[in-house]
Amino acid sequence: DTEVTQTPKHLVMGMTNKKSLKCEQHMGHRAMYWYKQKAKKPPELMFVYSYEKLSINESVPSRFSPECPNSSLLNLHLHALQPEDSALYLCASRPRLAERSDTQYFGPGTRLTVL
Amino acid sequence: AQTVTQSQPEMSVQEAETVTLSCTYDTSESDYYLFWYKQPPSRQMILVIRQEAYKQQNATENRFSVNFQKAAKSFSLKISDSQLGDAAMYFCAYRGIIQGAQKLVFGQGTRLTINP
């Protein structure tokens, strides 16, 4: 099973709100990723967690705060966002299984609108 | 630095026909992976096919196959018997090791339209 789930599917928030995006998988992961994708563009990497520890932060503004509470869950906490942060946020996971460990499997994404 | 180039922003094909999407990449690594992902209007990124660079045999998944030319650093995707459900944005991606972590480098994408 390579399924990755994300909630919510859609989120509308004001610039003063605090919200969180959630990503879950039950593959047992080697790494989990957050991407931001603007329309008609490829995904841009934001964060990488390897074995539940943050290994890469692609110079993402501090208004985005990732968290990996356990091996199945990845959160992205949002605070004081700007309208230009409106995008599709994708989560991906690389399973522990050796034959699949080089492949990232993506969740369906959260479409975020910041008003 | 690794780069991925998709030179065809848009392609179209008649239903049931065959279409080939192009991808070239640049790397100094000898061991790597290449992927094609499909992103339909629902926006979910779906793995189509993957290729290990150390394997000479081209990967195949049902109607999808690749032409992997390692020396030329080319990795094209062939879709046979195109179906309406194949309409999507297709991204070519290279798996690199950067800062000790595996990262995907994406091309800019090719939007594929299927004409009935």
Side-chain angles (χ1 to χ4, degrees):
Chain A
D1 181 16
T2 57
E3 186 179 15
V4 178
T5 59
Q6 289 187 245
T7 54
K9 290 185 178 180
H10 301 276
L11 178 62
V12 179
M13 60 186 291
M15 291 190 285
T16 59
N17 292 157
K18 287 185 180 180
K19 297 287 184 181
S20 296
L21 309 185
K22 178 180 171 181
C23 174
E24 196 163 9
Q25 52 76 28
H26 297 284
M27 297 180 275
H29 70 264
R30 289 175 183 260
M32 294 185 78
Y33 303 74
W34 278 116
Y35 290 87
K36 172 183 178 180
Q37 186 181 24
K38 291 285 205 178
K40 301 182 181 180
K41 295 291 187 181
E44 298 173 26
L45 182 64
M46 299 175 72
F47 302 104
V48 181
Y49 272 82
S50 293
Y51 294 102
E52 301 152 49
K53 295 194 184 307
L54 182 65
S55 61
I56 291 180
N57 176 340
E58 292 284 344
S59 302
V60 178
S62 59
R63 58 185 183 269
F64 295 91
S65 175
E67 178 195 21
C68 189
N70 58 57
S71 62
S72 299
L73 193 57
L74 184 67
N75 297 320
L76 185 62
H77 303 297
L78 314 172
H79 174 55
L81 295 193
Q82 304 297 310
E84 59 265 28
D85 297 322
S86 298
L88 181 71
Y89 288 84
L90 293 164
C91 173
S93 175
R94 278 201 304 121
R96 285 187 192 276
L97 289 173
E99 63 267 27
R100 295 182 181 275
S101 64
D102 289 286
T103 303
Q104 290 187 32
Y105 294 91
F106 286 81
T110 294
R111 190 180 302 273
L112 174 68
T113 302
V114 181
L115 301 176
Chain B
Q2 296 101 349
T3 59
V4 177
T5 301
Q6 293 179 250
S7 59
Q8 306 152 316
E10 296 184 356
M11 293 279 286
S12 64
V13 65
Q14 290 294 124
E15 192 176 5
E17 298 287 304
T18 295
V19 64
T20 299
L21 309 184
S22 300
C23 173
T24 58
Y25 59 94
D26 189 26
T27 183
S28 58
E29 295 180 332
S30 58
D31 185 21
Y32 50 87
Y33 289 75
L34 295 162
F35 305 89
W36 279 97
Y37 284 92
K38 164 187 175 181
Q39 190 174 39
S42 66
R43 305 293 302 274
Q44 170 134 30
M45 292 282 282
I46 301 167
L47 177 68
V48 176
I49 201 165
R50 70 174 221 165
Q51 175 79 43
E52 295 94 329
Y54 63 87
K55 288 187 176 180
Q56 292 186 342
Q57 186 174 8
N58 290 325
T60 299
E61 288 285 345
N62 301 313
R63 297 182 295 107
F64 298 87
S65 61
V66 298
N67 183 4
F68 173 49
Q69 301 290 326
K70 190 172 184 179
K73 296 180 181 175
S74 170
F75 182 61
S76 61
L77 174 70
K78 185 172 83 170
I79 306 174
S80 303
D81 185 26
S82 299
Q83 300 176 359
L84 295 178
D86 295 333
M89 179 74 89
Y90 286 80
F91 291 100
C92 177
Y94 170 98
R95 186 225 71 180
I97 305 292
I98 304 168
Q99 297 174 255
Q102 290 195 14
K103 294 172 69 172
L104 285 178
V105 179
F106 288 94
Q108 290 299 304
T110 297
R111 180 167 301 282
L112 179 63
T113 302
I114 311 295
N115 300 315

